[in-house]
Amino acid sequence: MNKYNVLKKYFGYDSFRPGQETMIDAILQGRDALGIMPTGAGKSICYQVPALLLPGITLVISPLISLMMDQVKALNQAGIHAAFINSSLTESQINKALLYASQGRYKIIYVAPERLETESFRFFASKAQISMVTVDEAHCISQWGQDFRPSYLKIVRFIESLPRHPIVSAFTATATREVKEDIICVLGLREPQVLVTGFNRENLYFEVRHVRNKEEPLLQYVSSRPGDSGIIYCATRKNVEAVCTFLEDMGVDATRYHAGLSADERRRNQEDFIYDVKPVMVATNAFGMGIDKSNVRYVIHYNMPQSLENYYQEAGRAGRDGEPSECLIFYSPQDVVMDQFLIENGKDSQEMDPRIREMVLERDRERLKKMTYYCITNDCLRDYILRYFGEYGNTCCGNCSNCQTRFETVDITDIAKTIIECVQTSRQRYGINVILDTVHGANTAKIRDYRMNQNPCYAHLAKVKTHKLRNIMNYLLLENYLATTNDEYATLRLTETSMKVLADDISVTMKMPKDPDPATEGQSSDNTSAKATAKSGKTAKFRRKTFESSNGTDAKSHSLAELDNQGRALFEQLRSLRMEIAKEEKVPPYIVFSDKTLVQMCFVRPQNKEQMMGVSGVGEFKFDKYGERFLQCIRGLV
Ligand code: ADP
Ligand code: ZN
């Protein structure tokens, strides 16, 4: 057996994804390895394939019970002998597992870090042949990271106590330099093969919708994707309750998750979601860690999150299987106010030393600002995200809402100048709302109190619509024509660029969404034909094409959106068969076959074993177990 046979036989895949081979080869040569790859890149294969080729056992250290169980179920379904040892088992179950393990029954064993210190486990480890120790979610070892786990520090002592030094491999999706250095240093990796792959997720479509009343658009979105699995993140428990109840009342199979529910209910709801019993999950950010569900087709943020770090992590739970999936934010300016409140009143920060607290708050305000800019920029959203994380993207990805909207470039110098003048003449004492109300000429008590009705710019922009003024203000902040202070009462400040505008040294232009005007369609010079296509109702097709052309990884793959009606009907049949088998096997449906594999079946329509085995994701063991039932379904016999 070599690595290619293992990949095909157990996992049913024909080729490795970028990076996987580098990691596997290094490990098979006996080198330590560190893989930093985004969610869905396929980190598990990087250690599972070598684990099957190395002579002894591979121990995988994993922080969460649910993750371990999921992985072990998936391995067992693929015909690989694997087990987990953690606190969900009774003492006698653990002893039995260790006995089997010492008899060499398992190639891969998942353990929680706490387990490494126990007497019985140490005894087992001292006698067993352990070829590799793999540290999953390795960022948990770093005190810089968000998810630091002190018990991860025990891993090093454990490795040192082993009679033979194993290969050590570590994997994470967290990419900051501090975390990377911490992992290498704390784990004591010896001249490791380090691989950092790009953070772009090509199969994800990004969109920001500016919506005032969110319920209707949400319902419309969810109902237009019946049966599809999706997560809706809300900022507060109260919102989760309201949104979930609303969807349920409207007949959507939704469930909820937040820290206010009992542990029992949380577990039940999570299972309903993972097993596709309730395809829609409405949750706070307490939900998601340790969820490996690969067929999440969309993630909607009903409220804007507090930082892009949080956003990309949560949105990234969509489309782990590589199928096209969507990440939307339903933005309203109210969200920013709520996030500000949550940051200023955060429980954690209340207990901090005041100086540290101020630093943390400042950092959080800065993050919130960058998050807000994401929601108001007219530039490529993917590019914005990648830049934020220090990568260079493409200025136009073609697969986000901004790349698919037609914009025109408008000269806004006069408006910008008036706004900046207003900030200057009021001696930089006020925030966004007061300034906008002033130039718009609002006659409110506040404006009169502040005597802003006597400001020289008062009502100069009375003719410009307020939402347009707000957009322009956002743009001025985004492009540093103005700045805000980073404290609780963010006041507007002049920048060097403001001075240039005031001195008439530069003009200000801004991209604005163009009103669809059929008469000029096709004549505009400021845009690509791609955007024109999007507007003329071919969005879905365009999206798919872009995705395919840039996705050179999984060869000859098709996507769900390409299926015609007949294909879609077959997909639904295969999906119900998968559900039936999942219930029999007591595993989540996506562990039986991924959405991607089902979609390939609909395209290939395999008629016999050989053709079925050619479908990506169908390994030998799975074919023997239920390949025939899927064949029958495709042949239309059922
Ligand atoms: P990560 O842990 O990096 O988030 P996973 O290991 O869960 O990612 O893999 C994500 C998905 O990609 C899984 O459904 C997995 O089966 C699939 N996958 C991994 N490697 C390949 C490959 N070489 N070809 C096709 N699919 C793959
Ligand atoms: Zn884009």
Side-chain angles (χ1 to χ4, degrees), residues 206 379-383 394-404:
F206 292 95
D379 291 331
C380 173
L381 295 175
R382 184 184 313 276
D383 184 51
N394 247 321
T395 38
C396 177
C397 75
N399 195 22
C400 75
S401 51
N402 284 348
C403 284
Q404 296 184 358

Tab-separated table of all heavy atoms in Angstrom, residues 206 379-383 394-404, ligand 2:
chain	number	residue	atom	x	y	z
A	206	PHE	N	-19.570	35.590	-0.686
A	206	PHE	CA	-19.781	36.547	0.400
A	206	PHE	C	-20.754	37.640	-0.019
A	206	PHE	O	-20.698	38.119	-1.146
A	206	PHE	CB	-18.451	37.177	0.819
A	206	PHE	CG	-17.532	36.190	1.483
A	206	PHE	CD1	-16.563	35.528	0.752
A	206	PHE	CD2	-17.678	35.888	2.826
A	206	PHE	CE1	-15.728	34.586	1.353
A	206	PHE	CE2	-16.861	34.957	3.439
A	206	PHE	CZ	-15.884	34.303	2.703
A	379	ASP	N	-15.987	47.685	-2.333
A	379	ASP	CA	-14.956	46.903	-3.012
A	379	ASP	C	-15.164	45.415	-2.756
A	379	ASP	O	-16.024	45.026	-1.974
A	379	ASP	CB	-13.571	47.339	-2.529
A	379	ASP	CG	-13.246	48.743	-3.004
A	379	ASP	OD1	-13.768	49.118	-4.077
A	379	ASP	OD2	-12.512	49.460	-2.304
A	380	CYS	N	-14.336	44.611	-3.398
A	380	CYS	CA	-14.459	43.148	-3.302
A	380	CYS	C	-14.379	42.693	-1.836
A	380	CYS	O	-13.418	43.002	-1.128
A	380	CYS	CB	-13.356	42.495	-4.114
A	380	CYS	SG	-13.287	40.714	-3.915
A	381	LEU	N	-15.382	41.960	-1.382
A	381	LEU	CA	-15.432	41.534	0.020
A	381	LEU	C	-14.347	40.507	0.339
A	381	LEU	O	-13.734	40.536	1.405
A	381	LEU	CB	-16.811	40.946	0.330
A	381	LEU	CG	-17.977	41.925	0.237
A	381	LEU	CD1	-19.294	41.191	0.451
A	381	LEU	CD2	-17.816	43.038	1.270
A	382	ARG	N	-14.118	39.597	-0.590
A	382	ARG	CA	-13.100	38.568	-0.356
A	382	ARG	C	-11.725	39.230	-0.231
A	382	ARG	O	-10.933	38.906	0.650
A	382	ARG	CB	-13.106	37.579	-1.517
A	382	ARG	CG	-12.150	36.407	-1.357
A	382	ARG	CD	-12.172	35.538	-2.603
A	382	ARG	NE	-13.537	35.264	-3.024
A	382	ARG	CZ	-14.289	34.292	-2.528
A	382	ARG	NH1	-13.800	33.478	-1.630
A	382	ARG	NH2	-15.519	34.117	-2.943
A	383	ASP	N	-11.492	40.178	-1.105
A	383	ASP	CA	-10.229	40.891	-1.077
A	383	ASP	C	-10.054	41.595	0.269
A	383	ASP	O	-8.978	41.584	0.870
A	383	ASP	CB	-10.213	41.907	-2.227
A	383	ASP	CG	-8.881	42.610	-2.315
A	383	ASP	OD1	-7.860	41.908	-2.340
A	383	ASP	OD2	-8.862	43.856	-2.349
A	394	ASN	N	-7.441	39.248	-4.884
A	394	ASN	CA	-7.654	39.763	-6.215
A	394	ASN	C	-8.519	40.988	-6.044
A	394	ASN	O	-9.407	40.966	-5.225
A	394	ASN	CB	-8.481	38.742	-6.984
A	394	ASN	CG	-7.680	38.132	-8.076
A	394	ASN	OD1	-6.908	38.819	-8.715
A	394	ASN	ND2	-7.852	36.849	-8.270
A	395	THR	N	-8.338	42.022	-6.814
A	395	THR	CA	-9.205	43.167	-6.581
A	395	THR	C	-10.647	42.878	-6.962
A	395	THR	O	-11.549	43.559	-6.533
A	395	THR	CB	-8.694	44.412	-7.313
A	395	THR	OG1	-8.198	43.970	-8.555
A	395	THR	CG2	-7.618	45.100	-6.512
A	396	CYS	N	-10.874	41.863	-7.761
A	396	CYS	CA	-12.249	41.487	-8.071
A	396	CYS	C	-12.362	39.974	-8.153
A	396	CYS	O	-11.813	39.357	-9.059
A	396	CYS	CB	-12.676	42.123	-9.392
A	396	CYS	SG	-14.338	41.642	-9.875
A	397	CYS	N	-13.036	39.369	-7.182
A	397	CYS	CA	-13.090	37.909	-7.134
A	397	CYS	C	-14.225	37.367	-7.986
A	397	CYS	O	-14.243	36.201	-8.349
A	397	CYS	CB	-13.229	37.427	-5.691
A	397	CYS	SG	-14.888	37.646	-4.997
A	398	GLY	N	-15.229	38.200	-8.274
A	398	GLY	CA	-16.356	37.740	-9.082
A	398	GLY	C	-17.346	36.903	-8.296
A	398	GLY	O	-18.385	36.512	-8.813
A	399	ASN	N	-17.046	36.588	-7.035
A	399	ASN	CA	-17.907	35.705	-6.259
A	399	ASN	C	-18.281	36.341	-4.919
A	399	ASN	O	-18.251	35.698	-3.876
A	399	ASN	CB	-17.205	34.358	-6.066
A	399	ASN	CG	-18.148	33.277	-5.590
A	399	ASN	OD1	-19.369	33.377	-5.766
A	399	ASN	ND2	-17.607	32.242	-4.971
A	400	CYS	N	-18.594	37.647	-4.955
A	400	CYS	CA	-19.117	38.308	-3.765
A	400	CYS	C	-20.128	39.347	-4.234
A	400	CYS	O	-20.178	39.673	-5.421
A	400	CYS	CB	-18.000	38.948	-2.951
A	400	CYS	SG	-17.332	40.454	-3.643
A	401	SER	N	-20.939	39.855	-3.305
A	401	SER	CA	-22.028	40.727	-3.741
A	401	SER	C	-21.501	42.018	-4.368
A	401	SER	O	-22.119	42.561	-5.273
A	401	SER	CB	-22.983	41.024	-2.583
A	401	SER	OG	-22.285	41.469	-1.446
A	402	ASN	N	-20.360	42.505	-3.908
A	402	ASN	CA	-19.846	43.733	-4.509
A	402	ASN	C	-19.325	43.507	-5.919
A	402	ASN	O	-19.523	44.335	-6.800
A	402	ASN	CB	-18.750	44.340	-3.636
A	402	ASN	CG	-19.335	45.030	-2.425
A	402	ASN	OD1	-20.544	45.244	-2.360
A	402	ASN	ND2	-18.503	45.356	-1.462
A	403	CYS	N	-18.655	42.367	-6.124
A	403	CYS	CA	-18.148	42.086	-7.465
A	403	CYS	C	-19.301	41.868	-8.442
A	403	CYS	O	-19.113	41.929	-9.640
A	403	CYS	CB	-17.246	40.864	-7.458
A	403	CYS	SG	-15.624	41.194	-6.769
A	404	GLN	N	-20.477	41.596	-7.922
A	404	GLN	CA	-21.594	41.310	-8.813
A	404	GLN	C	-22.599	42.453	-8.909
A	404	GLN	O	-23.671	42.294	-9.460
A	404	GLN	CB	-22.292	40.024	-8.368
A	404	GLN	CG	-21.358	38.837	-8.484
A	404	GLN	CD	-22.010	37.537	-8.154
A	404	GLN	OE1	-23.175	37.499	-7.787
A	404	GLN	NE2	-21.269	36.452	-8.297
B	2	ZN	ZN	-15.332	39.952	-4.804
